[in-house]
């Protein structure tokens, strides 16, 4: 989990010292149950490191209100993935209250426990156990209180819908609100209760409409750009022409002539502010800014992969099993291929936006960010104030996909609000969104592999440049294998000409593309059906289960490729979840256009908390995956980003959407991630389907019509 590695050092120095008294002061009346969220943070390191990183007073908590409603506070945010629904399902089951009584407060840095951020499909699988433990302990505390009130032993009591009653005399009862009314109770249990068994769950595992669905469909839901404050002004900031450019000077004299315009110059920040955004736009265009270019890199779309290989750092072999030379000797066929994947933008519909304003001596920032607590720390650092003087309150996010882990717009808004003493809205336009996007890095996969006369993979020598090792698992049973990683994913300082970052399932789409196309090539050479070839080389039962299930869903008829049918298959693994895809496509051999007609997807994600939400995520991944697989390409020249809107950056359209059939395998195992796995196979499965349809192999994404036509010439 690369994200966790990145936050280890951050945790050691940036975890705020939140005191228990402050929690109680913030929350007012009601019942609070505090517990150590060890489950959520053990993944960060050993016990000693955990104690260093997470103070004992830093605890997740619940509030039970006098009206019987329950508020669950988590530091995660909701950007459509459904955290606003799955957490209440957990609380309702463990606390024995009705699902619709549970409400969420997400990401509010004054009210919620510290959280590293929302990414990596970690909300349910990593934080979920701690939320369940909190609710289970709250139930235990309430049973103790009820036992004292009713004069019985806790074992004699049961709970239904927030009502505690004597099992032997149901008339003897007390409600949660009756126990907590007007009280502040911070109470621990000496012996922590166990969470419920899967067989006891009544809310988790059932399909639930997202709690915010109606508000979002009707337009009631507020995003950062919807927030308004009296005297609010819009900021328009002077931007450089290249990531290699540095501001030298800015002549704002013409802009200052426009009535109502306020100019702010604060180091490298030059901004125009006006209550009318169109006037602010007009004034910004009048500013004459001078930049100097520092060390522009000689890299562009034409030479990007040559450049990246020439500048690759030393590799690190993190898997080395068996003897590659022995594997070669056992091989009847050897395959050596190179796969390319270009820069891809996050391209959310909602661009980066933030509203900042002073509330007394405290800076309030309403920002669309996946990392509200790191944002709070960084804003405080930039403003030169204590962290308790900053509050970040994220509203709903209009998509993030990893691209809103950074929060530059929030820092810009806070700086301007502090200087002007006015509420300031910073809302990037589409050009700014593309320019400052932390793109999924361009990457290269080199694979040498072999098979014997029985179609068994004999060796696997895998080299990944700049994508990292997420999704680089061989997955197949190979006796001789080695994996070498060059650069830690997007963390390749000084290599890329602009920032790169996490993009939905970071690096996994690239690695799955290289692995699964290579496997398909071997299956074709062995004249074995691609599903049968994979099963022949798999021993991982979870991988076998999803592959067999998706083959059943698609009514797979075994045949060797290319068959002319246009079917492709791929398997993958991400965030603890296994997926298998089959697609059926058509290829227009005159234009090179690929049309994906149907996608089948089987997913094994342990116990599924909300099947409806998970299905929505699978469908979203599949549709988003069409973009990186087929069309999405960032045009650039050095640090100059030429792509600046959707007229030149083509994301999936309604006309692209295929028929989709999904299935989530029923499992009573710990829940795993669902926000990213189904996207990782889309490039590979389509590339394999193109080969099955035409006999043309594609080794680079995006698989644009031009690249398809070039590949067809080689058939």
């Amino acid at each position: 989990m690369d994200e966790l590695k990145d936050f280890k050092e951050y945790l050691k120095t940036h975890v705020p010292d939140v005191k228990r008294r402050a929690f109680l002061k913030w929350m007012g009346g009601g019942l609070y149950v505090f517990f150590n969220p060890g489950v959520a943070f053990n993944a960060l390191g050993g016990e000693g490191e955990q104690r260093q990183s997470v103070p004992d007073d830093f605890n997740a908590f619940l509030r039970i209100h006098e009206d019987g409603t329950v508020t669950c506070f988590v530091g995660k945010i909701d950007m459509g993935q459904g955290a606003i629904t799955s957490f209440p399902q957990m609380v309702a089951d463990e606390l024995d209250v009705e699902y619709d009584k549970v409400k969420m407060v997400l990401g509010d840095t004054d009210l919620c426990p510290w959280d590293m951020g929302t990414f990596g499909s970690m909300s349910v699988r990593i934080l979920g156990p701690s939320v369940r433990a909190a609710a289970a302990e709250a139930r235990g505390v309430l049973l103790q209180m009820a036992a004292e009130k009713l004069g019985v032993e806790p074992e004699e009591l049961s709970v239904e819908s927030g009502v505690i009653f004597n099992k032997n005399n149901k008339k003897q009862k007390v409600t949660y609100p009756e126990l907590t009314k007007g009280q502040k109770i911070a109470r621990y249990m000496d012996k922590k209760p166990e969470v419920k068994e899967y067989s006891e769950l009544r809310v988790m595992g059932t399909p639930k409409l997202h709690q915010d669905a109606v508000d979002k469909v009707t337009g009631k839901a507020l995003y950062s750009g919807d927030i308004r404050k009296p005297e609010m002004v819009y900021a328009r900031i002077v931007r450089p022409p290249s990531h290699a450019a540095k501001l030298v000077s800015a002549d704002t004299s013409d802009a200052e002539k426009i009535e109502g315009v306020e100019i702010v110059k604060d180091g490298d920040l030059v901004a125009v502010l006006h209550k009318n955004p169109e006037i602010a736009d007009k004034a910004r265009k009048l500013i004459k800014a001078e930049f100097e270019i520092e060390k522009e890199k000689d890299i562009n779309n034409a030479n990007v992969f040559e450049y990246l290989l020439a500048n690759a750092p030393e590799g690190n072999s993190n898997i080395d099993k068996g003897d590659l030379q022995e594997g070669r000797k056992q091989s009847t066929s050897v395959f050596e291929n190179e796969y390319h994947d270009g820069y891809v933008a996050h391209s959310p519909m909602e661009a980066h936006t933030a509203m900042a304003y002073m509330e007394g001596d405290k800076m309030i920032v309403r920002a669309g960010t996946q990392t509200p607590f790191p944002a709070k720390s960084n804003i405080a650092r930039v403003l030169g104030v204590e962290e308790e003087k900053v509050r970040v309150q994220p509203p709903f996010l209009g998509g993030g996909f990893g691209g809103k882990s950074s929060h530059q717009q929030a820092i810009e808004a806070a700086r301007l609000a502090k200087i002007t003493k006015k509420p300031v809205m910073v809302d990037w336009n589409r050009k700014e969104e593309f320019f400052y996007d932390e793109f999924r890095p361009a990457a290269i996969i080199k694979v040498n592999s072999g098979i014997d006369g029985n179609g068994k993979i004999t060796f696997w020598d895998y080299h990944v440049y700049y994508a990292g090792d997420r999704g680089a698992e061989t997955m197949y049973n190979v006796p001789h294998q080695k994996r070498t990683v060059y650069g830690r994913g997007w963390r390749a300082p000084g290599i890329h000409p602009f920032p790169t970052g996490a993009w939905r399932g970071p690096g996994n789409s690239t690695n799955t593309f290289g692995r699964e196309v290579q496997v398909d090539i071997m299956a074709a050479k062995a004249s074995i059906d691609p599903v049968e070839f994979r099963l022949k080389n798999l021993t991982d039962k979870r991988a076998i289960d999803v592959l067999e299930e998706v083959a059943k869903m698609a009514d797979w008829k075994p045949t060797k490729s290319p068959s002319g049918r246009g079917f492709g298959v791929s398997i993958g693994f991400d965030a603890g979840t296994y997926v298998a895809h089959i697609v059926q496509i058509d290829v227009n051999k005159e234009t090179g256009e690929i049309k994906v007609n149907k996608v089948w997807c089987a997913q094994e994600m342990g116990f599924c908390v909300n099947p409806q939400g998970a299905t929505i995520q699978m469908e979203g991944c599949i549709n988003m995956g069409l973009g990186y697989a087929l069309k999405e390409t960032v045009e650039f020249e050095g640090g100059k980003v030429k792509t600046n809107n959707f007229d030149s950056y083509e994301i999936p359209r309604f006309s692209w959407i295929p028929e989709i059939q999904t299935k989530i395998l029923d499992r009573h195992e710990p829940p795993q991630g669902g926000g990213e796995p189904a996207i990782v196979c889309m490039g590979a499965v389509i590339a394999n389907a193109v080969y099955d349809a035409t006999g043309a192999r594609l080794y680079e994404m995006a698989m644009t019509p031009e690249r398809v036509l070039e590949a067809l010439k080689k058939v």
Side-chain angles (χ1 to χ4, degrees):
M1 294 194 292
D2 288 344
E3 297 95 339
L4 292 176
K5 295 176 187 175
D6 289 346
F7 272 86
K8 277 187 178 180
E9 292 303 318
Y10 184 89
L11 281 168
K12 292 178 181 178
T13 55
H14 289 76
V15 176
D17 185 17
V18 181
K19 303 298 183 184
R20 196 183 316 277
R21 288 181 181 176
F23 278 139
L24 295 174
K25 179 180 178 182
W26 288 328
M27 304 318 306
L31 169 72
Y32 310 94
V33 178
F34 298 89
F35 66 101
N36 192 306
V39 178
F41 292 100
N42 274 335
L44 298 178
E47 191 67 23
E49 185 176 20
Q50 180 185 332
R51 284 195 297 271
Q52 180 182 2
S53 301
V54 185
D56 291 339
D57 281 341
F58 183 69
N59 299 296
F61 56 91
L62 299 167
R63 179 183 179 185
I64 299 173
H65 302 272
E66 297 177 15
D67 62 359
T69 60
V70 179
T71 301
C72 176
F73 301 87
V74 298
K76 301 295 183 187
I77 54 87
D78 199 295
M79 50 189 166
Q81 81 275 23
I84 198 172
T85 305
S86 52
F87 282 122
Q89 288 182 268
M90 299 177 202
V91 171
D93 259 331
E94 295 295 346
L95 196 55
D96 278 328
V97 296
E98 294 303 313
Y99 164 75
D100 59 7
K101 292 285 189 181
V102 184
K103 307 301 177 186
M104 294 298 301
V105 174
L106 295 154
D108 188 324
T109 61
D110 266 14
L111 302 182
C112 298
W114 185 91
D115 186 88
M116 68 184 82
T118 305
F119 42 72
S121 296
M122 292 196 288
S123 293
V124 169
R125 67 185 173 115
I126 303 297
L127 185 58
S130 290
V131 171
R132 290 185 66 186
E137 186 168 358
R139 183 180 183 276
V141 169
L142 287 161
L143 283 169
Q144 290 179 345
M145 293 170 62
E148 294 166 5
K149 185 176 181 67
L150 299 176
V152 298
E153 293 299 317
E155 294 75 19
E156 299 177 54
L157 300 175
S158 188
V159 188
E160 288 182 8
S161 301
V163 179
I164 302 175
F165 58 88
N166 188 332
K167 297 175 187 176
N168 302 314
N169 179 11
K170 287 195 172 184
K171 292 183 179 179
Q172 193 178 16
K173 61 185 179 181
V174 63
T175 66
Y176 285 173
E178 288 171 339
L179 290 171
T180 63
K181 185 177 181 181
Q183 299 182 65
K184 295 180 180 178
I185 304 173
R187 186 167 176 172
Y188 292 94
M189 294 189 70
D190 294 332
K191 183 180 179 181
K192 306 302 180 187
E194 297 291 332
V195 297
K196 292 182 178 179
E197 298 290 336
Y198 295 110
S199 60
E200 300 177 273
L201 302 176
R202 60 183 180 83
V203 184
M204 293 173 63
T206 60
K208 292 291 183 183
L209 183 71
H210 284 185
Q211 284 195 356
D212 55 2
V214 173
D215 284 353
K216 286 182 174 178
V217 170
T218 59
K220 184 179 178 181
L222 294 180
Y223 297 81
S224 297
D226 298 319
I227 297 167
R228 299 290 183 269
K229 298 289 289 184
E231 306 301 317
M232 184 186 87
V233 293
Y234 291 86
R236 295 295 181 260
I237 299 170
V238 173
R239 304 298 191 188
S242 167
H243 284 277
K246 181 180 179 181
L247 181 66
V248 175
S249 64
D251 180 356
T252 61
S253 56
D254 289 340
E256 292 168 5
K257 296 174 183 177
I258 298 177
E259 185 178 353
V261 162
E262 182 176 357
I263 304 292
V264 171
K265 295 182 180 181
D266 183 36
D268 60 349
L269 179 66
V270 178
V272 174
L273 297 98
H274 196 278
K275 63 182 180 181
N276 185 320
E278 293 184 1
I279 294 177
D281 280 327
K282 179 181 176 182
R284 176 172 59 180
K285 292 175 183 177
L286 295 175
I287 294 176
K288 301 179 181 67
E290 181 183 351
F291 295 89
E292 65 178 17
I293 303 295
E294 298 181 340
K295 299 180 181 178
E296 188 75 89
K297 294 183 183 299
D298 184 19
I299 177 175
N300 53 47
N301 295 88
N303 68 2
V304 55
F305 300 111
E306 178 184 347
Y307 167 90
L308 291 175
L309 284 173
N311 290 277
E314 185 177 349
N316 172 45
S317 294
N318 53 19
I319 293 290
D320 196 348
K321 172 186 173 184
D323 185 335
L324 293 179
Q325 290 306 314
E326 180 61 28
R328 266 183 195 275
K329 291 177 184 178
Q330 298 171 5
S331 304
T332 56
S333 298
V334 174
F335 310 85
E336 184 172 349
N337 292 299
E338 183 170 313
Y339 303 90
H340 295 165
D341 198 3
Y343 294 105
V344 172
H346 294 87
S347 56
M349 290 296 96
E350 178 207 36
H352 281 63
T353 305
M355 152 71 78
Y357 56 94
M358 297 298 298
E359 201 170 76
D361 64 347
K362 192 163 193 170
M363 179 64 68
I364 311 297
V365 182
R366 307 296 307 277
T369 175
Q370 294 175 233
T371 53
F373 286 89
K376 171 180 177 170
S377 298
N378 286 327
I379 290 167
R381 175 179 52 80
V382 170
L383 298 186
V385 300
E386 297 296 321
E387 288 198 12
E388 55 263 31
K389 298 296 184 182
V390 177
R391 180 181 187 179
V392 177
Q393 291 180 282
F396 291 119
L397 273 68
F401 320 116
K404 288 177 180 169
S405 296
S406 61
H407 32 258
Q408 178 182 331
Q409 86 286 12
I411 295 172
E412 291 172 341
R415 288 175 68 183
L416 292 168
K418 181 182 180 183
I419 292 168
T420 64
K421 311 300 183 188
K422 296 177 182 178
V424 176
M425 173 75 75
V426 172
D427 51 341
W428 290 359
N429 61 28
R430 192 57 56 182
K431 183 176 181 180
E432 289 171 310
E433 183 69 22
F434 274 104
F435 182 81
Y436 285 116
D437 193 9
E438 296 182 347
F439 301 125
R440 187 191 72 184
I444 300 135
I445 307 291
K446 291 185 177 183
V447 192
N448 300 326
S449 63
I451 55 174
D452 63 18
N454 295 316
K456 298 297 289 286
I457 305 174
T458 49
F459 80 95
W460 184 265
D461 187 12
Y462 189 88
H463 301 258
V464 52
Y465 298 80
Y466 307 105
D469 59 2
R470 182 163 168 176
E473 298 88 352
T474 309
M475 293 193 74
Y476 300 93
N477 184 30
V478 183
H480 309 287
Q481 58 176 289
K482 186 175 182 179
R483 180 173 69 214
T484 308
V485 181
Y486 304 82
R488 290 190 56 217
W490 62 87
R491 295 164 296 279
I495 297 295
H496 302 291
F498 30 60
T500 56
W503 188 96
R504 202 171 191 175
N508 201 326
S509 298
T510 303
N511 281 309
T512 300
F513 178 69
R515 181 190 65 246
E516 289 296 299
V517 173
Q518 184 81 358
V519 169
D520 224 60
I521 290 171
M522 294 189 292
K525 177 66 175 179
S527 296
I528 299 176
D529 170 77
V531 171
E532 181 184 336
F533 182 87
R534 285 171 170 80
L535 290 172
K536 178 187 284 286
N537 286 282
L538 282 169
T539 55
D540 187 324
K541 188 178 184 304
R542 296 180 70 195
I544 292 169
D545 286 349
V546 291
L547 182 54
E548 289 182 337
E549 186 61 41
V550 80
K552 188 187 305 180
M553 292 164 61
D555 192 23
W556 184 265
K557 300 294 190 295
T559 185
K560 65 179 182 179
S561 292
S563 70
R565 300 181 305 172
F567 276 80
V569 61
S570 177
I571 61 173
F573 173 88
D574 191 72
T577 292
Y578 283 74
V579 289
H581 292 58
I582 289 175
V583 302
Q584 194 283 318
I585 69 161
D586 289 324
V587 179
N588 186 321
K589 294 183 180 180
E590 299 297 322
T591 65
E593 290 283 348
I594 299 169
K595 173 63 176 175
V596 180
N597 299 312
K598 187 164 184 176
V599 180
W600 295 266
C601 180
Q603 180 163 294
E604 198 269 82
M605 56 188 304
F607 181 81
C608 182
V609 173
N610 181 8
Q612 180 169 334
T615 298
I616 290 169
Q617 287 293 293
M618 293 170 73
E619 293 171 345
C621 280
I622 288 166
N623 284 318
M624 185 174 177
L626 295 173
Y628 83 77
L630 299 178
K631 292 289 180 72
E632 295 184 41
T633 302
V634 176
E635 298 290 336
F636 68 98
E637 183 73 42
K640 302 180 182 71
V641 179
K642 296 182 177 180
T643 298
N644 54 42
N645 214 322
F646 292 123
D647 58 344
S648 57
Y649 191 83
E650 193 169 0
I651 61 175
R653 303 182 180 188
F654 286 118
S655 59
W656 296 20
I657 296 176
E659 181 183 350
I660 299 174
Q661 183 180 339
T662 64
K663 183 169 183 179
I664 300 169
L665 277 63
D666 186 21
R667 296 288 186 270
H668 282 182
E669 299 293 337
Q672 301 300 324
E676 298 161 292
I679 201 171
V680 305
C681 289
M682 289 304 294
V685 74
I686 292 172
N688 292 339
V690 170
Y691 176 77
D692 186 59
T694 67
R697 279 290 177 197
L698 293 164
Y699 298 89
E700 182 173 336
M701 296 190 290
M703 293 174 281
T704 60
E706 295 77 16
R707 289 179 181 140
V708 172
L709 292 175
E710 282 298 313
L712 287 170
K713 292 177 183 178
K714 300 174 184 177
V715 176

